[in-house]
Coordinates of all heavy atoms in Angstrom, one line a residue:
A1 N 26.8 -82.6 -3.6 CA 26.9 -81.5 -2.6 C 28.1 -80.6 -2.8 O 28.0 -79.4 -2.9 CB 27.0 -82.1 -1.2
A2 N 29.3 -81.2 -3.0 CA 30.5 -80.5 -3.1 C 31.6 -81.3 -3.7 O 31.6 -82.5 -3.6 CB 31.0 -80.0 -1.7
A3 N 32.6 -80.6 -4.3 CA 33.7 -81.3 -4.9 C 35.0 -80.5 -4.8 O 34.9 -79.2 -4.7 CB 33.5 -81.7 -6.4
I4 N 36.1 -81.2 -4.8 CA 37.4 -80.5 -4.7 C 38.4 -81.1 -5.7 O 38.4 -82.3 -5.8 CB 37.9 -80.5 -3.3 CG1 39.1 -79.6 -3.1 CG2 38.2 -81.9 -2.8 CD1 39.5 -79.3 -1.6
S5 N 39.2 -80.3 -6.3 CA 40.2 -80.8 -7.2 C 41.3 -81.5 -6.5 O 41.4 -81.4 -5.3 CB 40.8 -79.7 -8.1 OG 41.4 -78.7 -7.2
R6 N 42.2 -82.2 -7.2 CA 43.1 -83.1 -6.5 C 44.2 -82.3 -5.7 O 44.7 -82.8 -4.7 CB 43.8 -84.0 -7.6 CG 44.6 -83.2 -8.6 CD 45.2 -84.3 -9.6 NE 46.0 -83.6 -10.6 CZ 46.7 -84.3 -11.5 NH1 46.7 -85.6 -11.5 NH2 47.4 -83.7 -12.4
N7 N 44.4 -81.1 -6.1 CA 45.4 -80.3 -5.3 C 44.7 -79.3 -4.4 O 45.3 -78.5 -3.7 CB 46.4 -79.5 -6.2 CG 45.7 -78.5 -7.0 OD1 44.5 -78.3 -7.0 ND2 46.5 -77.8 -7.9
G8 N 43.4 -79.3 -4.4 CA 42.6 -78.5 -3.5 C 42.4 -77.1 -4.0 O 41.8 -76.3 -3.3
G9 N 42.9 -76.8 -5.2 CA 42.8 -75.4 -5.7 C 41.5 -75.0 -6.2 O 41.2 -73.8 -6.3
I10 N 40.6 -76.0 -6.5 CA 39.3 -75.7 -7.1 C 38.3 -76.4 -6.3 O 38.4 -77.6 -6.0 CB 39.2 -76.2 -8.6 CG1 40.4 -75.6 -9.4 CG2 37.9 -75.8 -9.2 CD1 40.4 -76.2 -10.8
T11 N 37.2 -75.7 -5.9 CA 36.1 -76.3 -5.3 C 34.8 -75.9 -6.0 O 34.8 -74.9 -6.8 CB 36.0 -75.8 -3.8 OG1 35.9 -74.4 -3.8 CG2 37.2 -76.3 -3.0
Y12 N 33.8 -76.7 -5.8 CA 32.5 -76.5 -6.5 C 31.4 -77.0 -5.6 O 31.6 -78.0 -4.9 CB 32.5 -77.3 -7.8 CG 31.3 -76.9 -8.7 CD1 31.3 -75.8 -9.5 CD2 30.2 -77.8 -8.7 CE1 30.2 -75.5 -10.3 CE2 29.1 -77.5 -9.5 CZ 29.1 -76.4 -10.3 OH 28.1 -76.1 -11.1
F13 N 30.3 -76.2 -5.5 CA 29.3 -76.5 -4.5 C 27.9 -76.5 -5.2 O 27.7 -75.7 -6.2 CB 29.2 -75.5 -3.4 CG 30.5 -75.5 -2.6 CD1 31.5 -74.7 -2.9 CD2 30.6 -76.4 -1.5 CE1 32.7 -74.7 -2.1 CE2 31.8 -76.5 -0.7 CZ 32.8 -75.6 -1.1
A14 N 27.0 -77.4 -4.8 CA 25.6 -77.3 -5.2 C 25.0 -76.0 -4.6 O 25.4 -75.5 -3.5 CB 24.8 -78.5 -4.7
D15 N 24.1 -75.4 -5.3 CA 23.5 -74.2 -4.9 C 22.8 -74.3 -3.5 O 22.8 -73.4 -2.7 CB 22.4 -73.7 -5.9 CG 23.0 -73.2 -7.2 OD1 24.2 -72.9 -7.2 OD2 22.3 -73.1 -8.1
S16 N 22.3 -75.5 -3.2 CA 21.6 -75.8 -2.0 C 22.5 -75.7 -0.7 O 22.1 -75.5 0.4 CB 20.9 -77.1 -2.0 OG 21.9 -78.1 -2.2
V17 N 23.9 -75.8 -0.9 CA 24.8 -75.8 0.2 C 25.8 -74.7 0.1 O 26.5 -74.4 1.1 CB 25.5 -77.1 0.3 CG1 24.6 -78.3 0.3 CG2 26.6 -77.3 -0.8
K18 N 25.8 -73.9 -1.0 CA 26.8 -72.9 -1.2 C 26.6 -71.8 -0.1 O 25.5 -71.4 0.3 CB 26.5 -72.2 -2.5 CG 27.7 -71.4 -3.1 CD 27.4 -71.0 -4.5 CE 27.3 -72.1 -5.4 NZ 27.1 -71.7 -6.8
G19 N 27.8 -71.4 0.5 CA 27.8 -70.5 1.6 C 27.6 -71.1 3.0 O 27.9 -70.4 4.0
R20 N 27.2 -72.3 3.0 CA 27.1 -73.0 4.3 C 28.1 -74.2 4.5 O 28.5 -74.4 5.6 CB 25.7 -73.6 4.4 CG 24.6 -72.5 4.4 CD 23.2 -73.1 4.7 NE 22.8 -74.2 3.7 CZ 22.5 -75.4 4.0 NH1 22.6 -75.8 5.3 NH2 22.2 -76.3 3.1
F21 N 28.4 -74.8 3.4 CA 29.4 -76.0 3.4 C 30.7 -75.5 2.8 O 30.8 -74.7 1.9 CB 28.8 -77.1 2.6 CG 27.6 -77.8 3.2 CD1 26.9 -77.3 4.3 CD2 27.2 -79.0 2.7 CE1 25.8 -78.0 4.8 CE2 26.1 -79.7 3.2 CZ 25.4 -79.1 4.2
T22 N 31.8 -76.1 3.4 CA 33.1 -76.0 2.7 C 33.7 -77.3 2.6 O 33.4 -78.2 3.4 CB 34.0 -75.0 3.5 OG1 34.1 -75.6 4.9 CG2 33.5 -73.6 3.6
I23 N 34.5 -77.5 1.6 CA 35.2 -78.8 1.4 C 36.7 -78.5 1.4 O 37.1 -77.5 0.8 CB 34.7 -79.4 0.0 CG1 35.3 -80.8 -0.1 CG2 35.0 -78.5 -1.2 CD1 34.7 -81.6 -1.3
S24 N 37.4 -79.4 1.9 CA 38.9 -79.2 2.0 C 39.5 -80.6 2.0 O 38.8 -81.6 2.2 CB 39.3 -78.5 3.2 OG 38.9 -79.1 4.4
R25 N 40.8 -80.7 1.7 CA 41.5 -82.0 1.8 C 42.9 -81.8 2.3 O 43.5 -80.7 2.2 CB 41.5 -82.6 0.4 CG 42.3 -81.8 -0.7 CD 42.1 -82.3 -2.1 NE 42.6 -83.7 -2.2 CZ 42.3 -84.5 -3.2 NH1 41.4 -84.1 -4.1 NH2 42.8 -85.7 -3.3
D26 N 43.4 -82.8 2.9 CA 44.8 -82.9 3.4 C 45.4 -84.1 2.7 O 45.2 -85.2 3.1 CB 44.8 -83.0 4.9 CG 46.2 -83.0 5.5 OD1 47.1 -83.2 4.8 OD2 46.3 -82.7 6.7
N27 N 46.2 -83.8 1.7 CA 46.8 -84.9 0.9 C 47.8 -85.7 1.7 O 48.1 -86.8 1.4 CB 47.3 -84.4 -0.4 CG 46.2 -84.0 -1.4 OD1 45.1 -84.5 -1.3 ND2 46.5 -83.1 -2.3
A28 N 48.4 -85.0 2.7 CA 49.4 -85.7 3.5 C 48.7 -86.8 4.4 O 49.3 -87.8 4.8 CB 50.1 -84.7 4.4
K29 N 47.4 -86.5 4.7 CA 46.6 -87.5 5.6 C 45.7 -88.3 4.8 O 44.9 -89.1 5.3 CB 45.9 -86.7 6.6 CG 46.8 -86.0 7.6 CD 46.0 -85.3 8.7 CE 46.9 -84.6 9.7 NZ 46.1 -83.9 10.8
N30 N 45.7 -88.1 3.4 CA 44.7 -88.9 2.6 C 43.3 -88.7 3.1 O 42.5 -89.7 3.1 CB 45.1 -90.4 2.6 CG 46.3 -90.7 1.7 OD1 46.9 -89.8 1.2 ND2 46.5 -92.0 1.4
T31 N 42.9 -87.5 3.4 CA 41.6 -87.2 3.9 C 41.0 -86.0 3.3 O 41.6 -85.0 3.0 CB 41.7 -87.0 5.5 OG1 42.3 -88.2 6.1 CG2 40.3 -86.8 6.1
V32 N 39.7 -86.1 3.1 CA 38.9 -85.0 2.6 C 37.8 -84.7 3.6 O 37.3 -85.6 4.3 CB 38.3 -85.3 1.2 CG1 37.3 -86.4 1.2 CG2 37.6 -84.0 0.7
Y33 N 37.5 -83.4 3.8 CA 36.5 -83.0 4.8 C 35.4 -82.2 4.2 O 35.5 -81.6 3.2 CB 37.3 -82.1 5.8 CG 38.5 -82.6 6.4 CD1 39.8 -82.4 5.9 CD2 38.4 -83.5 7.5 CE1 40.9 -82.9 6.5 CE2 39.5 -84.0 8.1 CZ 40.8 -83.7 7.6 OH 41.9 -84.3 8.1
L34 N 34.3 -82.3 4.9 CA 33.1 -81.5 4.5 C 32.6 -80.8 5.8 O 32.1 -81.4 6.7 CB 32.0 -82.3 3.9 CG 30.8 -81.5 3.4 CD1 31.2 -80.7 2.2 CD2 29.6 -82.4 3.1
Q35 N 32.9 -79.5 5.9 CA 32.4 -78.7 7.0 C 31.0 -78.2 6.7 O 30.9 -77.5 5.7 CB 33.4 -77.5 7.3 CG 33.0 -76.6 8.4 CD 33.0 -77.3 9.8 OE1 33.9 -78.0 10.1 NE2 31.9 -77.1 10.6
M36 N 30.1 -78.5 7.6 CA 28.7 -78.2 7.3 C 28.2 -77.2 8.4 O 28.2 -77.6 9.6 CB 27.8 -79.4 7.3 CG 28.3 -80.4 6.2 SD 27.2 -81.8 6.1 CE 27.4 -82.6 7.7
N37 N 27.9 -76.0 8.1 CA 27.4 -75.0 9.0 C 26.0 -74.6 8.7 O 25.5 -74.9 7.6 CB 28.3 -73.8 9.0 CG 29.7 -74.1 9.4 OD1 30.0 -75.0 10.2 ND2 30.7 -73.4 8.8
S38 N 25.3 -74.0 9.7 CA 24.0 -73.5 9.5 C 23.1 -74.6 8.9 O 22.3 -74.4 8.0 CB 23.9 -72.3 8.6 OG 24.7 -71.3 9.1
L39 N 23.2 -75.8 9.5 CA 22.4 -77.0 9.0 C 20.9 -76.8 9.1 O 20.4 -76.2 10.0 CB 22.9 -78.2 9.7 CG 24.3 -78.8 9.3 CD1 24.9 -79.7 10.3 CD2 24.1 -79.5 7.9
K40 N 20.3 -77.4 8.1 CA 18.8 -77.3 8.0 C 18.2 -78.7 8.0 O 18.9 -79.6 7.6 CB 18.4 -76.6 6.7 CG 19.0 -75.2 6.5 CD 18.7 -74.7 5.1 CE 19.3 -73.3 4.9 NZ 18.9 -72.8 3.5
P41 N 17.0 -78.9 8.4 CA 16.4 -80.2 8.4 C 16.5 -80.8 7.0 O 16.6 -82.1 6.9 CB 14.9 -79.9 8.8 CG 15.0 -78.7 9.7 CD 16.1 -77.9 9.1
E42 N 16.4 -80.0 6.0 CA 16.5 -80.6 4.6 C 17.9 -81.1 4.2 O 18.1 -81.7 3.2 CB 16.0 -79.6 3.6 CG 16.6 -78.2 3.7 CD 15.8 -77.2 4.5 OE1 15.2 -77.6 5.5 OE2 15.7 -76.1 4.0

């Protein structure tokens, strides 16, 4: 679905989610996020 580089500077998305999903990370919190908008049944 999505990937993010270790410093967060590079992201990459599958075509099926591009424009709807975003990926981010907070290295201080050891956490990565996937924000999913305009969700579809698929």
Side-chain angles (χ1 to χ4, degrees):
I4 188 166
S5 61
R6 59 181 183 174
N7 65 1
I10 305 172
T11 57
Y12 188 80
F13 297 92
D15 287 344
S16 57
V17 307
K18 198 174 295 182
R20 301 187 297 121
F21 291 10
T22 58
I23 186 171
S24 61
R25 64 190 295 164
D26 185 338
N27 287 338
K29 295 183 178 180
N30 283 11
T31 302
V32 62
Y33 305 96
L34 185 68
Q35 177 67 44
M36 305 185 295
N37 299 328
S38 302
L39 282 162
K40 305 174 181 180
E42 51 264 43

